[in-house]
Structure formats: C-alpha cells, structure tokens
C-alpha cells in the first residue's frame, strides 16, 4: 500500500522569468517579458500522514518564499496519487532484447514495487535514438550532471516544491530539527544492486566521517556550525538530526551535489554504492589489500584510488543511479552515456524511462564552432555553451537546421562578474602592492566606474541584458531594491580617474598606463578566465580595452581550461577572477561566486576557514564574516527573516563591491535553448534554475524523438 507522500510545498519563486520564445524576442527588439504576478502569501507545506503508527510530527517548516506565477505551457509532473499509478510495465526494445537473451531480468523485477511516475510534458513518448550534444572539456561536468541530476529528492518542474524520488516520503519533526527519510523499496543501482539505507550510511560513516577521505565536511549538512547526524532506523529508513532548525534541508538535498552522479565525483552525495565501494575501503577489505590495489593501479594511496573508483564519470565500472550511465568517460574526445536498465522511473502508461537510448557529446573547445554546428542542426538539444551573441546565426538557420529556439532568462545580477581576491595577499610570493589594491574599496570602485556596461550589453548580449551590478532582478523577492542595480555600476570616467589619482597613481607611462608606487613599472593586474557558458574571454578582453582607454589600468587576460581555472581559484592563485553571480537571486540555496568553501571567488582561504571550522584558511572579518554568517543563519530562519537576510546579503556585496557586475538578468547562462523539431516533450516555457539544475527540473528522461 502506498504511503501518503508529503509534498514539500516550500514555494520558491522561479529562478528565471517567463521563457520568452525567440520570435517574440526578435520581433520586439529584445523587449522585456511582461512582469509576472507575485503571490504574496505562499501556501504552507503539507505534513506527512504515514500509514504506520508514529508520533505525530510537528508542522512542516515555513514555506520557502513567494511564487512568481507565470503563463507556462505544459510541464511534466510527478504523480503521487495511487489511483493514477500504472499496473503493468513496458521497456525499451534494446532492453527487451537483453531480457530475451537472458542478460537482464524482466522489467517488473528491475523496477521498485512503487516506481516514480512522471506525467510527460505533452504525451507518451516513443523509445529510441541518440541525443547529440557537445562539451568543452572534462571541466564541463555540469553539462551532463544537469541532464542526469538524480538526488534523494527532486524539484518539481516549476521549482516551487520538493517532490519524492529515491526518498519516497519524509517526516519533519522537532520544530524542523529532525528529518526522517523513507526510501523507496526496490530502487537499484545500474548493476542491479539494491539501493538501501546501507548506501546512505556508507556515505555518512565510511566516507563523510573518515578524515582521510573527507577533510572538509559538507556545508550543506550543517546548520549553526554543527553537522547533522545520520542514523539508520531500518533498511529503508534514515533519520537526520540537527541541533537547530534547518528549514531548507530538503531543498539542499535536491541540488546537484546531492546527485549520485555529480556527488559521486566529489563524494558529497549522501548515498553511494556501498557493495561496490567496500572492496576499496580498508574497513572492509583490509589496509594491506587496498594499499596493494592502489599501488598496482598506479595511484599514490588508497584514498586517491577509492575516489577514482567512486567517480562514475571516469570509472565506467562504478554503478550509477541516473537515467543514463557513462559508457565512455569524460576525459575522452567523445562522452557517451547509455540508458540505465534499472532506472526507477516510469511514465503514466508504465513505460520505463528514459525514452532516449543514448547521449553523445563531442569535444569542441571553440564556442563559435559550437554555435555554427548548432545552426547546422548537428545537436538535438543544446543550451550550455551557446550565448546570446550567437542568436543572429541561429535565427537565420532555424528552418534549414530544423530546430527552434527558446530564451529562458535568469534572475541573477551578472553573467560576467569580476571578483577581487581578498586573500591573494596571503599567497606565497604574492605581489604586495596588488594585494593591497584589491582589498581597497576605492580601487574596486574606480574599476567598476571605468567599465562601459552598455557597450558590453550591445556587443555580447545584443542589447537584451540589464547592465548593472551583481544585485539580482528587482522583481525578485530577494532584491534589496532597483537602486542597487546601478549603485557604483554606471560609467563615470571622470570620477574613476580622480579616485586613482587620489590613491597615488597619477603618474603614467608613454602609452598612458598608470605606474606602480614602488617604481617597478606599469600597474598591471592579472585575471584568469575560462571559455564557458558566457564567452568570458571576449567579454574580459573588451573590459581590458575599456579600462586601458578610460582609466589607464592594464588588465592582463589569461584564458584557461575550465578545470584549471577552478584549480587556480581554489589554490588562492588569482588577483582577480571572473564568473557569473548566479545565486545572488537566491543566496541561501545556491551561490556560485560566494560559495562557502575553497571555491569562494572572493577569497578561497576565507571559504576554507568556514568550511573547516577554522582549522584551515584565514578567518574572515567584518562584512565578509557577516556574508558567511548570513548564509548559515538563513538555513534556520523562518520565511520573513530569511528574506530580510537575503536582501542584507546582497546589500553587503554591492555596498563593498566585492563583486563588480557587468550585464545580467538574461538568457545567456544556460538559457538559449536550441532544440530539434524532432524532439518531443521539451517544455516550451520554463525558467533557468541553479538549485534545480536546469534542465534537470523538467525531467530529461521524458524527452523523446518523434521519428
């Protein structure tokens, strides 16, 4: 008998406004989408009503936030009504052939007794086909991680509530401090091993608590600076207890780091294939045995070898729980993923998903080449690495390439923001003068005032963006106000030059560049950038040209492969760096520029200090400490308090210019969708969401090929 499912209705306003169709955007000259209607009073979340006898749980925590009601088209839906569950099941012909050959059990034996049921966007699909796509290198992991996001719980397609997945239901008790998770019985890994509470406890006890493996415990598992404690109740029940209320714990579980595919690569997902991984862990296999395995395989130690074995993106033997699993690794010129025969999701007719058999991604590092190939119809579904400035060629070739285009805007303040590394001064061999400058507010202000954002918008965003700071869309609930979009973020060459003169940089060389105070020549700053979702190198080159021309500052742009760029940030090896400000629109759930770990672009040593509880790194002070503190406080704060804290967070960022924005609130970050007309069930309108891992929230397993 099915347990009643508590749909966690924490209404999260959509991260990205109305998905504007391309024809609308072009015909209206980039006119803004109509302002969505805001519903001020969210509906409180429902409470579980389990069929077994348990203590009555306390009411669910307050709703997450107000909803932006949008004129969506059809969207897929997770069905939880037992009356609508299919009674018989079907499978892909390629799997049926394996069943017939005795290489796989029948589909009914591969599925849970109560599988997840998806009502497709438009219709029941058909099986078969290969989804052709592209990636830019091993560092482009989010390309496939977003497609295969499979966490314990998931977002619904509107990103306004958390819905069941591997965890079928949950109880929230003790004022939001205790979460009891009831796993779906019969879920299996891709090799047929059962997925049970033991897989969760293996992650918690043998990976997470093992200091040789996890030197920095996951921030998402903590509130108030204290880690949550996980305990097994039975084979399909786990209880997580926190010392203080954690109102958005389920939302954190549903994010990308909670997926066994993405989290398997980082050991951050709260479940792992224990039966497989125990053979590489000294607790189960013995220290001598695992040391020998690592040595024979050419790894420096057993920890490095176990981490490789746990990564399903590199180790093709590793079991996965996603819709598609790797059959060719991400360090190859072509990535290949094939359907998981044990995937625990079906459609409303009982067809095991996914519909599509295979995904292939070819390696292309040049974004211009990617756009040209997309325009020729070589990709079936592609958004990542396709930018707004490529729209003219994409528009011109729609008929010939047999595709359509939708724009799904984000509410983040800037697609390309400059971050000043506040801990660069502590790097061994750091340039002391530059270290002082990047920590100087007036210097950051001069840089910001020297940037011509309108020019950037016209060239790289076709005039469709919003020039301004990193502050999010004023229409969103966590914006501190429209004035923060322009604060310190409009071109003022006269003021910028006056500031630099006052700072003692009035002397210039023969080419007009300002000279250092220490007499060592031209004042130069280095900024590493990666070719990614936005063409950051080209944006940065134009900014460098503007700063040279407007204020005499030499900015040296270093173009790096994405994983190398991330390594430089984590190693505190940057003076400045550039990335987007995704997360400014909802800082308590996802914040790519100001993460609470060593990936923090404002200062990796600050993030490291916070992540390790002060054991490593540098303790942040003043307003920077407050930024970290707010991110933690928001986890346990009721809605009204959390909203006020999110606004304060954005105010601090802008008031101190810790991030200098350029152009934002656009479709440039995974928002320009090129979709073959042969693809069915792809929603025509949705939004872009970092926490929900767009397009993961619209369930790619229900996409299909019409012919």
């Amino acid at each position: 008998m099915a347990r009643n499912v508590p749909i966690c209705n924490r209404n999260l306003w959509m991260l990205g406004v109305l998905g504007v169709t391309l024809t609308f955007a072009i015909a209206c000259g980039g006119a803004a989408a109509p302002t969505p209607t805001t519903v001020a009073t969210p509906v409180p979340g429902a409470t579980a009503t389990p069929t077994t006898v348990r203590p009555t749980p306390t009411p669910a925590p307050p709703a997450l936030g107000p909803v932006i009601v949008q004129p969506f088209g059809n969207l897929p839906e997770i069905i939880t009504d037992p009356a609508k569950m299919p009674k018989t099941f079907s499978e892909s012909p390629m799997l049926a052939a394996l069943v017939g050959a005795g290489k796989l059990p029948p589909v009914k034996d591969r599925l849970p007794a109560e599988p997840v049921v998806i009502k497709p966007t438009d219709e029941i699909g058909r099986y078969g086909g290969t989804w052709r796509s592209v990636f830019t290198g091993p560092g482009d992991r989010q390309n496939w991680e977003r497609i295969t996001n499979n966490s314990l719980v998931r977002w619904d397609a509107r990103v306004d509530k958390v819905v069941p997945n591997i965890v079928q239901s949950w109880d929230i008790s003790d004022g939001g401090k205790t979460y009891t998770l009831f796993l779906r019985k019969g879920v299996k890994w891709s090799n047929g091993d059962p997925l049970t509470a033991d897989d969760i406890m293996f992650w918690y006890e043998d990976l997470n608590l093992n200091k040789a493996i996890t030197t920095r415990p996951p921030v998402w598992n903590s509130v108030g600076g204290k880690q949550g404690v996980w305990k097994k109740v039975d084979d399909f029940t786990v209880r997580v207890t926190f010392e203080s209320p954690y109102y958005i714990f389920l939302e954190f579980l549903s994010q990308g780091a909670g997926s066994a595919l993405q989290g398997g690569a980082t050991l951050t997902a709260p479940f792992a294939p224990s039966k497989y991984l125990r053979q590489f862990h000294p607790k189960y296999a013995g220290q001598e045995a695992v040391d020998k395995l690592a040595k024979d395989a050419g790894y420096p130690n057993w920890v490095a070898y176990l981490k490789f074995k746990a990564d399903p993106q590199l180790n093709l033997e590793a079991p996965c729980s996603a819709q598609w699993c790797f059959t060719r690794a991400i360090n190859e010129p072509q990535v290949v993923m094939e359907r998981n025969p044990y995937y625990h999701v079906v459609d409303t007719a009982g067809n095991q998903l996914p519909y599509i058999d295979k995904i292939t991604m070819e390696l292309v590092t040049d974004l211009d080449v990617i756009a040209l190939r997309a325009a020729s119809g070589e990709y079936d579904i592609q958004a990542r690495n396709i930018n707004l400035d490529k729209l003219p060629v994409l528009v011109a070739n729609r008929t010939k390439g047999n595709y359509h285009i939708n724009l799904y805007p984000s509410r983040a303040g800037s697609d390309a923001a400059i971050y000043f590394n506040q801990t660069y001064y502590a790097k061994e061999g750091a340039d002391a003068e530059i270290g002082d400058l990047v920590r100087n507010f007036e210097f950051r202000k001069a840089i910001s005032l020297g940037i011509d954002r309108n020019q950037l918008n016209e060239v790289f965003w076709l005039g469709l963006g919003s020039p301004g700071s990193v502050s999010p869309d004023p229409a969103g609930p966590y914006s501190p106000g429209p004035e923060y979009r322009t604060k310190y973020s409009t071109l003022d060459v006269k003021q910028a030059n006056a500031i630099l003169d006052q700072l003692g940089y009035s002397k210039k060389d023969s080419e007009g560049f300002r000279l250092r105070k220490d007499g060592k020549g031209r004042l130069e700053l280095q900024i590493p950038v990666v070719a990614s979702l936005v063409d950051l190198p080209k944006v940065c080159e134009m900014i460098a040209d503007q700063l040279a021309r407007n204020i005499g500052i030499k900015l040296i742009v270093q173009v790096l492969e994405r994983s190398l760029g991330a390594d430089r940030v984590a190693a505190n090896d940057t003076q400045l760096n550039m990335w987007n400000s995704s997360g400014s629109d909802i800082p308590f759930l996802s914040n790519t520029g100001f993460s609470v770990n060593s990936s923090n672009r404002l200062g990796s040593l600050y993030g490291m200090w916070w992540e390790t509880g002060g054991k490593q790194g540098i303790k942040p002070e003043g307003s920077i400490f407050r930024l970290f503190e707010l991110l933690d406080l928001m986890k346990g704060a009721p809605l009204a308090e959390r909203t006020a804290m999110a606004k304060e967070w954005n105010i601090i960022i802008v008031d101190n210019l810790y991030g200098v924005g350029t152009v934002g609130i656009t479709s440039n970050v995974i928002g320009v969708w090129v979709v073959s007309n042969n693809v069915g069930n792809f929603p025509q309108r949705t939004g872009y969401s970092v926490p929900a891992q767009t397009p993961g929230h619209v369930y790619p397993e229900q996409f299909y090929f019409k012919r």
Side-chain angles (χ1 to χ4, degrees):
M1 181 176 180
R3 179 184 289 115
N4 291 334
V5 179
I7 304 300
C8 188
N9 184 12
R10 305 158 186 273
N11 296 313
L12 169 60
W13 54 268
M14 196 63 183
L15 297 167
V17 293
L18 168 65
V20 186
T21 59
L22 179 66
T23 51
F24 176 86
I26 297 300
C28 298
T35 302
T37 303
T38 300
V39 178
T41 307
V43 180
T47 305
T49 309
T51 55
T52 56
V53 179
R54 303 189 185 95
T56 303
T58 56
L64 185 62
V67 174
I68 300 300
V69 178
Q70 304 186 53
F72 288 127
N74 294 337
L75 288 173
E77 179 185 355
I78 298 291
I79 301 298
T80 56
D81 182 354
K84 297 181 180 179
M85 301 293 178
K87 301 298 187 291
T88 58
F89 304 105
S90 302
E91 62 191 340
S92 158
M94 69 176 288
L95 297 184
L98 294 175
V99 173
K103 296 181 179 180
L104 270 182
V107 63
K108 65 180 179 60
D109 296 333
R110 302 197 310 270
L111 289 168
E114 299 175 10
V116 176
V117 179
I118 293 178
K119 178 183 177 183
T121 302
D122 296 310
E123 59 193 354
I124 299 298
R126 60 188 297 271
Y127 284 118
T130 297
W131 172 350
R132 301 166 301 161
S133 187
V134 65
F135 76 115
T136 59
D140 198 10
R141 285 176 179 252
Q142 277 271 277
N143 210 333
W144 43 81
E145 289 172 348
R146 286 172 173 271
I147 294 171
T148 55
N149 186 31
N150 184 52
S151 307
L152 292 179
V153 290
R154 297 177 78 170
W155 289 101
D156 79 328
R158 291 178 179 268
V159 199
D160 66 0
K161 61 186 177 184
V162 172
V163 295
N165 190 32
I166 295 169
V167 167
Q168 187 170 13
S169 64
W170 51 84
D171 286 345
I172 306 169
S173 58
D174 196 20
K177 292 190 288 186
T178 299
Y179 288 76
T180 304
L181 310 177
F182 303 100
L183 277 66
R184 192 178 302 274
K185 296 179 180 180
V187 176
K188 298 178 178 64
W189 294 94
S190 58
N191 64 354
D193 289 343
L195 199 165
T196 69
D198 288 339
D199 296 307
I200 292 178
M201 297 311 298
F202 178 81
W203 163 78
Y204 178 69
E205 296 177 343
D206 300 319
L207 300 180
N208 178 63
L209 295 183
N210 188 311
K211 294 182 180 180
I213 299 172
T214 303
T215 57
R216 302 168 190 169
V219 176
W220 61 261
N221 188 45
S222 71
V223 62
K226 302 292 185 180
Q227 286 281 311
V229 177
W230 297 60
K231 291 186 178 180
K232 176 180 175 179
V233 178
D234 58 41
D235 286 346
F236 295 97
T237 310
V238 173
R239 182 166 292 123
V240 190
T241 305
F242 299 94
E243 291 189 14
S244 55
Y246 192 173
Y247 292 149
I248 52 176
F249 174 60
L250 292 176
E251 283 78 4
F252 270 94
L253 280 188
S254 67
Q255 296 195 75
S259 166
L261 187 66
Q262 179 176 347
T266 58
L267 301 184
T268 56
F271 62 113
S274 60
K275 184 177 179 181
Y276 172 75
L277 290 179
R278 283 173 182 161
Q279 62 187 312
F280 311 110
H281 197 294
K283 176 180 174 181
Y284 303 95
Q287 190 67 57
E288 184 178 345
V290 297
D291 286 343
K292 185 177 187 304
L293 286 173
K295 182 179 180 180
D296 291 347
Y299 284 81
N301 52 59
W302 71 269
V303 173
Y305 190 50
L306 183 143
K307 288 182 176 180
F308 164 72
K309 285 297 190 178
D311 187 350
Q313 304 184 29
L314 290 171
N315 174 25
L316 303 183
E317 295 178 352
C320 91
S321 63
Q323 304 94 316
W324 297 273
C325 301
F326 287 93
T327 56
R328 186 174 294 177
I330 64 173
N331 54 3
E332 297 283 341
Q334 184 188 57
V335 168
V336 180
M337 307 179 73
E338 295 187 9
R339 64 166 59 253
N340 177 358
Y342 290 92
Y343 190 53
H344 57 278
V345 181
V346 301
D347 65 17
T348 46
N351 299 303
Q352 185 188 31
L353 298 177
Y355 292 129
I356 295 175
D357 289 332
K358 183 186 298 186
I359 300 173
T360 60
M361 293 187 179
E362 63 171 339
L363 175 64
V364 180
T365 58
D366 189 317
L367 299 187
D368 291 332
V369 173
I370 290 175
L372 290 173
R373 292 184 179 178
S376 67
E378 293 184 28
Y379 306 134
D380 297 298
I381 306 171
Q382 187 67 34
R384 197 171 177 87
N385 304 312
I386 295 180
N387 304 324
L388 275 173
D389 63 345
K390 305 301 189 297
L391 279 179
V393 69
L394 293 172
V395 170
N397 287 277
R398 282 178 297 167
T399 301
K400 182 180 179 181
N402 191 35
Y403 57 79
H404 58 277
I405 307 167
N406 281 359
L407 304 182
Y408 299 154
S410 163
R411 278 204 158 144
S414 183
D415 295 345
I418 297 175
Y419 294 92
F420 296 80
N421 183 4
Q422 300 299 287
T423 62
Y424 167 72
Y425 74 93
K427 175 184 178 292
E428 184 177 355
D431 184 322
E433 187 167 342
I434 299 300
D436 290 340
L437 272 180
V438 296
R439 288 186 292 159
N440 187 304
F441 167 75
E442 291 298 323
F443 179 74
R444 299 195 296 270
K445 182 178 176 181
I447 295 293
S448 185
L449 296 175
I451 297 173
D452 186 347
R453 294 165 176 81
N454 290 328
Q455 182 187 34
L456 295 172
N457 186 30
E458 292 302 321
V459 173
F460 298 107
W461 284 266
L462 302 182
L464 299 174
S466 168
S469 72
V470 295
S471 187
D473 184 356
Y478 308 116
S479 165
E483 67 274 19
Y484 282 88
R485 283 293 300 154
T486 55
K487 191 170 187 178
Y488 307 134
S489 299
T490 54
L491 181 65
D492 191 332
V493 174
K494 182 178 180 181
Q495 184 181 1
N497 280 296
I499 291 172
L500 293 172
D501 289 344
Q502 291 168 5
L503 290 175
Y505 291 98
S506 58
K507 295 182 180 180
K508 299 180 181 179
D509 64 14
S510 59
E511 296 182 52
F513 287 103
R514 295 179 184 271
L515 299 175
R516 297 170 60 103
K517 289 181 182 180
D518 61 9
K520 294 182 179 179
R522 182 180 292 173
L523 179 64
E524 298 179 341
L525 294 99
Q526 299 176 354
I527 180 167
V529 294
V530 301
S532 187
L533 315 178
V534 180
D535 201 339
L536 296 183
K538 290 184 179 179
V539 172
C540 207
E541 289 286 1
M542 179 171 283
I543 291 174
D545 180 67
Q546 292 175 352
L547 295 180
R549 186 174 63 251
N550 293 338
I551 59 176
I553 291 292
K554 178 67 173 179
L555 189 64
I556 300 175
V557 181
Q558 303 169 326
V559 182
L560 303 176
E561 190 273 328
R562 181 169 177 175
S563 58
L564 180 57
D567 290 343
R568 287 277 301 275
V569 171
N572 194 40
D573 191 21
T574 67
Q575 299 171 353
L576 287 69
N577 58 82
M578 176 173 278
W579 197 244
N580 59 55
S581 67
S582 293
S584 61
D585 42 356
I586 183 164
F588 49 83
L589 273 188
S590 179
N591 204 301
T592 58
F594 198 84
S595 53
V596 284
N597 53 39
S598 59
S599 297
N600 188 304
R601 293 179 176 274
L602 184 59
S604 64
L605 296 183
Y606 290 154
M608 185 183 297
W609 184 91
W610 197 270
E611 184 181 30
T612 62
K615 296 178 182 178
Q616 300 176 43
I618 296 175
K619 181 180 179 179
E621 302 289 346
S623 58
I624 297 180
F625 183 89
R626 180 60 175 167
L627 288 173
F628 282 103
E629 182 181 46
L630 284 169
L631 290 177
D632 192 57
L633 290 173
M634 283 187 274
K635 293 179 180 179
L639 173 61
E641 294 178 26
R642 186 162 60 243
T643 299
M645 290 177 185
K647 292 180 179 180
E648 180 188 351
W649 193 93
N650 276 304
I651 288 172
I652 292 173
I653 290 286
V654 175
D655 279 352
N656 292 277
L657 283 173
Y658 289 136
V660 168
T662 56
V663 180
I665 317 176
T666 78
S667 302
N668 221 6
V669 180
I670 320 183
V672 181
W673 287 93
V674 178
V675 183
S676 168
N677 293 328
N678 188 37
V679 172
N681 285 338
F682 190 92
Q684 294 303 301
R685 282 181 169 81
T686 183
Y688 167 66
S689 167
V690 174
Q693 296 281 277
T694 301
H697 63 90
V698 291
Y699 314 138
E701 57 263 49
Q702 53 97 39
F703 300 162
Y704 76 99
F705 292 114
K706 298 175 184 177
R707 60 183 182 278

